[in-house]
């Protein structure tokens, strides 16, 4: 990260949400970068701030609805965009979390959220004038949703210009693209020898392309059907099932498929793959774009999955084939063509944007409002 540019007393609180792994992953990377600059950065889980009975609803309810009642999840996602009882109930939950979040934030000049409900609570506290800290939202999704946006939050940061543009045009909220919060390991290139060894270890042959399929940390969506259709393109499927052991077991003997559980070497898997196929967007897509790995959306999960797919396709970052025939054409045309990572690697990243707030803590006239 270079030499430290922050003072020894600078502190930043990052609030994430333990729903899936993407929010925590971005938070941890931001903290790592800030610590590299000499900033004391800590993380809190927003679910610890809500009443105990709401935690399983937010955590298990997400995976259960996507997996077993996708129409319900899509309904929730859509209705949270609009005024109504569901949005009022959600904002009420965020209100209840205010006391604990305010206590967490005491003594921190800057608080960053990587989880939409945490952003709502921070915005409520700022709007009420009871939180002195500057507040920042880092949007982990390509598509902006109403729950990501609060007018009293001082800055909204995005991964790509496409997301920033959506925030400005649809939500009338200034947003600044600062690139992805993923490890620098995803920029590395493997040696030919390491590539060969890793492919051999995984049982992948050298004369066929490899499609790395990601399904989030929970292995969600219609994965078996999508896997078979990706395999039908002629690619070898390297499937990441996350923590879904049942899914890995179900597809362990599928022809042309290598099903894996949770891995800590995803950067190396992306380095040996020829194309990434995803169904949700978020952190895995940012990692692939950082690695220059061609990315394709297929059979996205409802709600934010389809919303993300539309934004990525419109921006030219990931095509969205709708049929097996279109999928075959896209995979064959995109495999092995490394892409330009400039959409997610920018001159000033999120950590440097936060450093700017520590150096210039004036939200009215300083850098906290220079978001466009």
């Amino acid at each position: 990260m270079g030499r430290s540019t922050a003072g020894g007393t600078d502190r930043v609180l990052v609030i994430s949400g333990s729903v899936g792994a993407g929010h925590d992953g971005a938070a941890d990377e931001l903290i790592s970068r800030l610590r590299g600059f000499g900033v004391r950065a800590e993380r809190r889980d927003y679910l610890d701030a809500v009443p105990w009975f709401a935690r399983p609803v937010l955590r298990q309810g997400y995976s259960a609805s996507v997996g077993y009642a996708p129409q319900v999840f899509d309904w929730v996602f859509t209705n949270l965009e609009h005024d109504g009882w569901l949005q009022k109930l959600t904002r009420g939950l965020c209100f209840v979390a205010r006391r604990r979040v305010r206590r967490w934030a005491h003594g921190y000049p800057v608080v960053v959220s990587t989880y939409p409900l945490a952003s709502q609570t921070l915005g409520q506290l700022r709007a009420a004038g009871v939180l002195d800290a500057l507040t920042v939202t880092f949007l982990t999704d390509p598509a902006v949703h109403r729950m990501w946006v609060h007018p009293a939050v001082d800055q909204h940061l995005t991964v790509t210009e496409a997301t920033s543009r959506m925030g400005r045009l649809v939500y009338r909220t200034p947003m600044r693209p600062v690139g992805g919060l993923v490890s620098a390991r995803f920029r590395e290139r493997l040696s030919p020898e390491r590539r060969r060894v890793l492919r051999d270890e995984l049982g992948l042959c050298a004369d066929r392309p490899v499609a790395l399929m990601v399904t989030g940390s929970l292995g969600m969506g219609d994965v078996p059907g999508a896997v078979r259709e990706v395999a039908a393109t002629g690619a070898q499927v390297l499937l990441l099932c996350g923590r879904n052991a049942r899914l890995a077991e179900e597809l362990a003997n599928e022809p042309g498929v290598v099903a894996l559980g949770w891995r800590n070497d995803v950067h190396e898997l992306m380095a040996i793959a020829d194309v990434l196929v995803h169904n949700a967007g978020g952190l895995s897509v940012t990692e692939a774009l950082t690695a220059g790995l061609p990315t394709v959306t297929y059979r996205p999960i409802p709600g934010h999955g389809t919303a993300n797919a539309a934004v990525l396709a419109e921006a030219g970052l990931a095509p969205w084939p709708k049929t097996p025939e279109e999928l075959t054409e896209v995979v064959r045309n995109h495999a092995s063509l490394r892409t330009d990572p400039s959409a997610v690697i920018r001159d000033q990243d999120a950590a440097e944007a936060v450093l700017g707030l520590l150096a210039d803590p004036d939200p009215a006239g300083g850098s906290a409002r220079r978001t466009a």
Side-chain angles (χ1 to χ4, degrees):
M1 293 297 299
R3 65 184 180 86
S4 172
T5 58
T9 60
D10 286 326
R11 304 174 67 205
V12 173
L13 176 65
V14 182
I15 304 178
S16 180
S18 55
V19 179
H23 304 292
D24 285 347
D28 288 343
E29 177 62 22
L30 176 59
I31 288 170
S32 176
R33 296 184 188 186
L34 288 171
R35 288 176 177 172
F37 282 123
V39 175
R40 295 171 57 193
E42 307 294 337
R43 172 162 70 88
R44 291 280 193 168
D45 184 355
Y46 182 77
L47 270 62
D48 290 335
V50 302
W52 65 268
F53 55 82
R55 296 167 196 167
V57 174
L58 293 174
R59 189 178 289 122
Q60 282 80 38
Y62 167 64
S63 57
S65 60
V66 171
Y68 300 104
Q71 294 89 349
V72 172
F73 181 77
D74 194 59
W75 179 87
V76 170
F77 182 86
T78 300
N79 280 273
L80 281 174
E81 279 281 357
H82 309 292
D83 292 334
W85 70 267
L86 183 61
Q87 190 183 96
K88 290 179 181 178
L89 178 65
T90 303
R91 294 189 189 279
L93 179 66
C94 297
F95 183 90
V96 172
R98 285 173 48 169
R99 184 172 67 173
R100 182 163 292 184
V101 170
R102 184 185 179 190
R103 187 165 68 247
W104 289 346
H106 179 72
Y108 289 92
V110 176
V111 181
V112 182
S113 164
T114 63
Y115 181 61
L117 299 190
S119 297
Q120 293 302 309
T121 296
L122 291 175
Q124 290 177 4
L125 289 168
R126 285 293 271 168
V130 295
L131 181 65
D132 293 331
L134 294 180
T135 53
V136 180
T137 288
F138 180 86
L139 286 79
T140 58
D141 282 316
V144 185
H145 186 276
R146 176 62 61 189
M147 290 294 100
W148 274 117
V149 180
H150 195 290
V153 167
D154 297 289
Q155 279 204 11
H156 292 78
L157 306 179
T158 70
V159 175
T160 68
E161 172 58 37
T163 307
S164 175
R165 183 169 58 251
M166 181 180 182
R168 295 193 302 268
L169 295 179
V170 178
Y171 296 90
R172 299 294 187 265
T173 300
M175 296 187 178
R176 184 201 301 181
V178 294
L181 280 174
V182 301
S183 170
R185 296 181 301 175
F186 287 92
R187 305 187 197 186
E188 299 172 358
R189 295 290 180 261
L190 292 187
S191 68
E193 176 62 17
R194 177 57 184 158
R195 287 173 55 89
R196 184 191 65 76
V197 169
L198 187 52
R199 283 200 176 209
D200 287 346
E201 289 177 353
L202 295 169
L204 301 169
C205 61
D207 59 352
R208 290 173 57 199
V210 175
L212 178 63
M213 289 191 66
V214 292
T215 59
S217 64
L218 304 174
M220 295 186 301
D222 180 14
V223 179
V227 163
R228 295 180 184 110
E229 289 169 354
V230 173
T233 68
Q236 303 170 91
V237 178
L238 187 57
L239 173 66
L240 295 184
C241 301
R243 297 186 173 94
N244 192 331
R246 178 181 298 180
L247 178 65
E249 182 179 356
E250 177 183 352
L251 295 171
N253 298 316
E254 188 74 22
V257 178
V258 178
L260 305 173
W262 186 262
R263 304 280 293 206
N264 293 317
D265 61 345
V266 176
H267 62 292
E268 289 196 322
L269 300 181
M270 287 190 176
I272 67 169
D274 298 290
V275 64
L276 179 92
V277 180
H278 76 99
N279 66 357
L283 189 63
S284 292
V285 169
T286 305
E287 291 169 346
L289 294 173
T290 302
L293 180 64
T295 303
V296 177
T297 306
Y298 192 60
R299 290 200 183 190
I301 62 175
H304 67 286
T306 54
N308 289 341
V311 171
L312 291 168
E314 183 180 356
L317 297 174
W320 180 10
K322 307 295 178 58
T323 66
E325 294 75 22
E326 291 179 359
L327 175 68
T328 297
E329 181 180 1
V330 167
V331 168
R332 291 178 177 175
N333 289 340
H334 282 69
S336 301
L337 299 175
R338 290 281 153 172
T339 59
D340 179 4
S342 60
V344 293
I345 300 177
R346 307 185 71 87
D347 291 337
Q348 184 187 57
D349 70 8
E352 292 170 323
V354 172
L355 285 179
L357 294 180
L358 291 170
D360 180 9
D362 177 9
S367 62
R369 288 297 183 188
R370 292 198 292 267
T371 55

